[in-house]
């Protein structure tokens, strides 16, 4: 998929937390680009799983 300057896109993903994995989590998603200065951008998703 190519996103041109000024355009936007969406990302979604599912997670499954097993027994004992309650609590805070941080997911890191790397996005590659053709930017010579920063060819990889990192997206961080913070989530809390539990009651």
């Amino acid at each position: 998929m190519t996103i041109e300057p000024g355009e936007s896109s969406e990302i979604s993903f599912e997670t499954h937390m097993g027994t004992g994995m309650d609590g805070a989590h941080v997911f890191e998603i790397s996005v590659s680009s053709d930017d010579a200065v920063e060819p990889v951008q990192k997206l961080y998703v913070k989530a809390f799983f539990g009651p």
Side-chain angles (χ1 to χ4, degrees), residues 7-43:
E7 293 182 337
S8 63
S9 184
E10 295 181 15
I11 186 170
S12 65
F13 60 95
E14 293 184 22
T15 61
H16 174 76
M17 294 294 140
T19 304
M21 296 184 71
D22 293 345
H25 293 75
V26 176
F27 299 93
E28 179 182 291
I29 303 167
S30 297
V31 180
S32 299
S33 73
D34 61 358
D35 186 323
V37 177
E38 293 185 84
V40 176
Q41 296 287 319
K42 298 208 185 252
L43 306 174

